[in-house]
Amino acid sequence: MLEAITSMFKFTPAKKSAIFLSLILGLAAFFRLYRIGDYLTFLGDEGRDVMVVYNILHGQFTLLGPTASVGGFFLGPIYYYFMAPFLWLSRYDPVGPAVMIALLGVATVWLLWRVTKEFFGTVPALIAAALYAVSPLVITYSRSSWNPNPLPFFTLLCLFVLYRAIRDNNIKLFLISGILFGIMMQLHYLATFVGVIIVSYIVIARLLAWRSYKNIFLFLKQLLKDFLSYAVGFLIGFSPFLAFEVRHGFPNIRSIADFIFNSNDTGNSPQLVHTIGDVGFRLFGRLITSYPSPDHFSWYMPQLISVWFWLTLFLIAI
């Protein structure tokens, strides 16, 4: 009898991992959901989204999503569709969609643990999940309803499914990853950078398996098969936006092309180099080195600010 009782408290490595993961997920949920209604951001964009979703729930269906930050074109409507059931369940309280983002944030912690465990093992996976669960910046963006906020979850899931698709040579997984990428493109056009990674990864992965192909034609056939199945999935995931474009003569696609090739900020202009540098510095400085904004320079010694600045530039360069 005593042996049976003591054996109940002997935890295998798998049980210990499950306990730690449960604690991490509980902590992530607490930081994201505790008093979320008191701390969520609700400004003009959030108010616009709630009104559009309110109209959708009352019969005014739409195939267009929020406007992009620049360029005057629109995103796809998928984020509105994600918001709709949560806004309805909350009786049109804006807290509902914010709870959706918080739950996706907790799911991202779990997914990060799963992906890291696949490549590096249990301990690194728990450390990565714990760091992501308590990251102040991540928590901040997990407590408000905004269309780019689900991107970490869908990006990680999209790339992980793609990895499995190539590893198992599974067309269905290529389709699923393509659908996820189509959803990402509706959430924010920053997902185009992930598209570059996807194309590069497929090509490099197939090149590394070059010896398994008898000749160049079989290699190109496999590559074509991969990209065609991925493209079909993407078209499915991006279909609401494409449906609007086909129906109205591609106004947003024309606006995007005009913005890329003719805008003073992105087209054939010296301003492009300045814009890329500014975005790169803010990205690395804000997310990696926590470089302070100019209004906070007075909080630190000038020598420290200088070292901080050059460290950030070095990280961008490498």
Side-chain angles (χ1 to χ4, degrees), residues 73 93 113 134 141 152 162 175 185 187 195 201-202 205 212 243 272 287 314:
F73 43 83
D93 189 325
W113 167 83
V134 300
Y141 285 105
L162 177 61
L175 285 169
M185 285 293 291
L187 291 173
Y201 178 65
I202 293 175
S212 62
L272 175 61
L287 296 181
F314 174 74

Side-chain angles (χ1 to χ4, degrees), residues 225-245:
K225 181 180 177 182
D226 293 343
F227 281 116
L228 282 178
S229 56
Y230 205 92
V232 170
F234 171 76
L235 291 176
I236 294 172
F238 205 48
S239 58
F241 178 83
L242 292 176
F244 178 89
E245 291 297 287

